[in-house]
Amino acid sequence: MEKLRFKRALLFPLLAFVTVFIFAFGLGTIFTILNENVVKEWAVVAVGTAITVAVPTAAYLLDRRFGQP
C-alpha cells in the first residue's frame, strides 16, 4: 500500500506538469502561427476571445448536463 501511495505522490504532480506544458506549448504555437501567417494581431485576439467565451460556456453546459441535480 505504501508503494502505491508513493508512486501516486510522484505521478500526479508529474502528470499535472505535463498537462500544463502541453496546453501552454500548444496555445503558444497556435498564437505564434496565427500572428506570423494570418491577420497578425487580430487573429490572436479573435482566438483568445473565442477561448475566453467558449471554455466557461462549455463548462456551464457540461455541469448542467452531468452535474448533480
Side-chain angles (χ1 to χ4, degrees):
M1 183 68 169
E2 290 298 318
K3 283 186 177 183
L4 180 62
R5 290 179 65 190
F6 181 73
K7 287 180 183 178
R8 286 183 181 167
L10 293 177
L11 179 66
F12 288 128
L14 181 64
L15 287 175
F17 174 78
V18 169
T19 302
V20 169
F21 179 79
I22 290 171
F23 275 108
F25 184 77
L27 285 176
T29 303
I30 289 169
F31 286 150
T32 301
I33 290 171
L34 286 174
N35 191 37
E36 303 263 331
N37 297 329
V38 185
V39 190
K40 303 294 177 189
E41 293 86 16
W42 289 109
V44 174
V45 170
V47 170
T49 303
I51 290 171
T52 303
V53 172
V55 169
T57 302
Y60 169 74
L61 293 173
L62 287 171
D63 182 53
R64 199 167 133 203
R65 179 171 179 139
F66 297 111
Q68 294 179 356

